[in-house]
Every structure is written in C-alpha cells, then in structure tokens.
Amino acid sequence: MAAGRGAELLRPPVSSGRATFLELFFDLAFVVALTRVSQRFAGLGDDTGWALVTGFGRTLLLFLALWLIWSHTAWITSRYEPEQPIIQAVVVGTMFASLIMAVTLPRAMEERALPFAVAYLMVMVVRPLVVAVALRGHPRRLVPFRLVVWALASAPLWLAGALGPDHLRLPLWVVALAVDYLAWTLGWPLPWLGVAKVGRWRIAGTHLADRYQQMFLIALGESILVIGVVFSGADYSAERAAAFAVAFATSALLWRIYFYRAGLLLTEAFDRAGMPGRLGAVSERTHLLIVLSVLVTAVGYELVIDHPFGQARPGWLLFLVGGPMLFLVARVRLQYEIFGRVSHSHLIGLVALLLCTPALAQRAPMVGLSVVAAVLALVALVDALRRWGQPTEISASPIGGETSDVGDSEA
C-alpha cells in the first residue's frame, strides 16, 4: 500500500475487524429509518392492484436510497480507519443526514421530497469531497473524486424530481437512483481515469462482514419492535395473542436460518478471501435482499396481529408470503457465497411457499402466517438434521478467493 500524505487515514493491516461504538451509534439512525420504511409499507395494506404496485415501488425506491447511504458508509469504515477524527466526522455527518431522510421518509414522495433529496445529496456529494481533501496527495484520492463526479451527474435528477410536478417525481428519482447504483456497479468510470471497481478495493473484509451481520440484526430488531408495538396497542384477545406468538416464532426462525452455518461463517469467509472486496460486493446485494425481506415480512406481522381472522385480502400475500420467499432466495445466494453450493432445503421451502400461495389467497391472514412459520420451521429442521453429528464446516467461498493482483495504489 502506498505511503505518503493522507496514508494515516487508511486502515492498517492489524486494525480490529469489530465495529466501533461510533458505527453502532450511527446505526441508530437506521433503526428509525427502517421503522419508517415498514410504516410506509404497512400503509399499503388496504391497497390493491396498480395502487399497491406503485405504492410498493415508491417505498422500495426510498429504501434503496437509504441502503446506498448505509452501504457506502460500511465500505468507508472498512477502507479507512474509523478512529481517525476526519472519518469520525464523516460518519457523524452521514448519521445526521440519514436521520433527516428517516424523519422525512413518511412523506418523502409528497411535500417532504426536497429535504429528503437534499440530505441524500449532501452525503453523496459532500462526503467524498471531504475524504478526497483529507487524503491530500495519496493516490486513493481519485476514488472519492470519481464518486463526486457521478453524484453530481445524478443530482439534477434528484432536485428536479423534488421541485418539479408530483407526477414526474417517481420517474425522475428512479432514473437518478439507477444512475447511482450503476456507478457503484461499474466502478464510477471516468475518461482517462478508468474504473475503480469495489471488488478490487483493499478493505478490512472481516469488518465489512461484521457490518452486514449487524444490519441484519437491526432489521430483525425492527420486526420485533413491530410485533410488540402492534400487539400492545390492540385489544387483547386469544386470536391476537396467537398471532403475536406465531409472528415472534417466524422472526426467530429467520434468525436461525440466516445464522445457521452460512451467516455464522460470513466473517471467516471474508477473512479467507484473497480479494475480500469482490466477496463484499456480491454479499452487499445479498444482504440488501435479506434486509428488505425482513422489513416486508414485518409488515405481514402487523396486518395479521391487527386482523388475525379477518377477511382474506390477496394483496396481503405480498407481505405474508412474499417477504419470506424473498428471504429464502437471498439465503440461497448467501449459501453459495459461503460454501459454493446451493441449499436444497431452502429451495424446497421456496417451492412449498410458492405452491401454497394460491390457496392462502382464500384463507384468513392467520392461516397464511402459520403456514409460513411451518415451512420455515421445516427448513430449519432439515438444515439441522442434515448436519447432525458431522464435523463443523469451514467456508469455501468461490468468490474472491484469488489473490489481488492490483498494482495501482489507488485501489
């Protein structure tokens, strides 16, 4: 790694892989943000048809914007030393902007669009500028410079969407967010400078794995919060108590399935990877799906606890069954990333939920949640029986196993 001015900001090889207290403090803003995302999703419970699709798409866009902020921050603290004052200032500033996005999120597609967009752009534009200045003459300063250029390219779309007519906001923001994600995927290419794909970055892989696990737990914590708040605010009855218990069991099963083997060995897989950035780039997409699936499933909890044996509403299946199905899809991806194979039990669970969906459209919400819990319990049981009495597995990730051959100190 190149030495020189600004080199003190880089993570040393002996740096701890554990998240700092500042990063855990930063995550508190996303506790608020994820709660607001769930509330927006829950507000779609009575919608059907096109209204449900567009409402879900609007909330998904806001979630993806928040995820990009959190993910970039996780990579920054895995790449630079979080104990450095300038990096700490960057994290605290990002936390404040994220909190603004969180509190404006319930009406971010309506009258609070401008503060949401401005807070987002402050992170995407100002943060890499601060890092680039702090790096001074170090070759890595060109990476945050790339981020600034691409963020400025999408900024007019964000601002036009916030200030323009309401009916143009969604399409403009979809294009803007697509530009930001495309830049992240391609490595922010610029003429004469080439690309800086994150898969080739020098990062503390174990730290990044730790952050992904923590975000999953934050999402699970949000689901537990939903269960407790909804049940405590409703009239007590045996039906609601049963829904409360099944919802909690479902969250516990999501935790079990994630951490059983693959999720537990995520840190080890990053530690063994010759190019942890490549594994991190793939795992980032997987954990995006996992966190989203938990949030969507939590909305199903709220709907069931409020109306456990109410009228069947097919739109609710998007949350009751769609969330767990998305979780199993993402968990299959995670299994491959850690062990290089696909879990048959998860595929069986996915097919079972898919086959049950038409019948559940005609059943009470409580029946749907109970079937989901039973399928997840079966997946967890098969996983446990398959490994019963066998030696503990080690990670064998097919991703990022190569030794980095990057010679450019910018990486």
Side-chain angles (χ1 to χ4, degrees), residues 162-250:
L163 296 171
D166 290 350
H167 68 278
L168 293 179
R169 182 165 300 134
L170 181 60
L172 285 172
W173 279 11
V174 166
V175 175
L177 192 64
V179 170
D180 291 339
Y181 269 90
L182 181 65
W184 169 265
T185 302
L186 297 179
W188 303 275
L190 290 178
W192 302 290
L193 293 180
V195 301
K197 289 191 174 182
V198 294
R200 304 182 73 83
W201 284 9
R202 296 186 179 97
I203 60 168
T206 54
H207 174 269
L208 190 59
D210 200 39
R211 297 297 286 136
Y212 288 156
Q213 291 170 331
Q214 289 164 358
M215 178 49 75
F216 169 69
L217 288 174
I218 288 172
L220 268 187
E222 194 280 331
S223 73
I224 297 298
L225 178 64
V226 167
I227 294 170
V229 170
V230 174
F231 184 56
S232 64
D235 295 333
Y236 290 101
S237 66
E239 293 83 1
R240 287 191 172 95
F244 169 79
V246 175
F248 175 79
T250 303

Side-chain angles (χ1 to χ4, degrees), residues 4-362:
R5 296 175 55 180
E8 69 276 2
L9 262 64
L10 310 183
R11 263 188 179 267
V14 296
S15 179
S16 171
R18 305 299 299 178
T20 63
F21 290 121
L22 176 62
E23 292 169 273
L24 299 178
F25 179 55
F26 166 78
D27 285 344
L28 296 179
F30 280 83
V31 173
V32 179
L34 295 185
T35 300
R36 293 294 177 263
V37 171
S38 281
Q39 289 175 344
R40 275 195 69 108
F41 277 134
L44 305 174
D46 294 328
D47 292 342
T48 57
W50 184 244
L52 177 61
V53 173
T54 56
F56 189 90
R58 288 169 180 266
T59 305
L60 178 61
L61 183 145
L62 300 175
F63 166 75
L64 290 175
L66 284 164
W67 178 265
L68 198 61
I69 296 295
W70 182 88
S71 184
H72 277 199
T73 306
W75 280 78
I76 286 174
T77 53
S78 295
R79 185 167 166 82
Y80 303 106
E81 179 52 66
E83 299 296 343
Q84 287 289 330
I86 188 65
I87 301 301
Q88 292 180 340
V90 164
V91 173
V92 171
T94 303
M95 178 183 180
F96 182 69
S98 302
L99 194 58
I100 293 175
M101 293 174 67
V103 298
T104 58
L105 192 142
R107 302 291 296 175
M109 297 300 294
E110 291 80 25
E111 71 273 7
R112 295 182 182 177
L114 184 59
F116 182 90
V118 169
Y120 175 83
L121 291 174
M122 287 293 291
V123 176
M124 297 298 287
V125 176
V126 176
R127 181 172 65 181
L129 273 177
V130 172
V131 174
V133 171
L135 285 170
R136 293 172 287 182
H138 196 280
R140 280 195 188 178
R141 74 190 185 283
L142 296 178
V143 175
F145 174 71
R146 286 185 173 91
L147 272 66
V148 173
V149 174
W150 274 87
L152 289 174
S154 67
L157 295 170
W158 284 105
L159 293 176
L163 296 171
D166 290 350
H167 68 278
L168 293 179
R169 182 165 300 134
L170 181 60
L172 285 172
W173 279 11
V174 166
V175 175
L177 192 64
V179 170
D180 291 339
Y181 269 90
L182 181 65
W184 169 265
T185 302
L186 297 179
W188 303 275
L190 290 178
W192 302 290
L193 293 180
V195 301
K197 289 191 174 182
V198 294
R200 304 182 73 83
W201 284 9
R202 296 186 179 97
I203 60 168
T206 54
H207 174 269
L208 190 59
D210 200 39
R211 297 297 286 136
Y212 288 156
Q213 291 170 331
Q214 289 164 358
M215 178 49 75
F216 169 69
L217 288 174
I218 288 172
L220 268 187
E222 194 280 331
S223 73
I224 297 298
L225 178 64
V226 167
I227 294 170
V229 170
V230 174
F231 184 56
S232 64
D235 295 333
Y236 290 101
S237 66
E239 293 83 1
R240 287 191 172 95
F244 169 79
V246 175
F248 175 79
T250 303
S251 282
L253 287 165
L254 295 179
W255 165 82
R256 168 68 178 178
I257 293 171
Y258 173 86
F259 277 108
Y260 187 77
R261 306 300 187 190
L264 190 63
L265 296 178
L266 184 64
T267 301
E268 178 187 307
F270 272 85
D271 191 44
R272 295 166 63 92
M275 296 183 67
R278 183 170 297 172
L279 178 58
V282 175
S283 191
E284 183 266 336
R285 302 294 189 269
T286 299
H287 282 82
L288 185 159
L289 297 177
I290 288 175
V291 170
L292 177 62
S293 70
V294 174
L295 295 180
V296 172
T297 303
V299 176
Y301 299 158
E302 181 172 350
L303 298 175
V304 175
I305 294 174
D306 273 341
H307 308 282
F309 291 97
Q311 181 181 1
R313 301 185 183 183
W316 288 14
L317 294 178
L318 176 65
F319 306 104
L320 281 176
V321 183
M325 287 179 64
L326 181 60
F327 176 82
L328 290 175
V329 169
R331 184 55 176 74
V332 168
R333 279 178 53 107
L334 183 64
Q335 185 83 7
Y336 177 79
E337 292 163 14
I338 303 303
F339 296 115
R341 67 169 187 271
V342 173
S343 172
H344 294 99
S345 62
H346 298 89
L347 291 176
I348 292 172
L350 186 61
V351 171
L353 288 177
L354 186 62
L355 294 176
C356 289
T357 300
L360 294 178
Q362 307 301 323

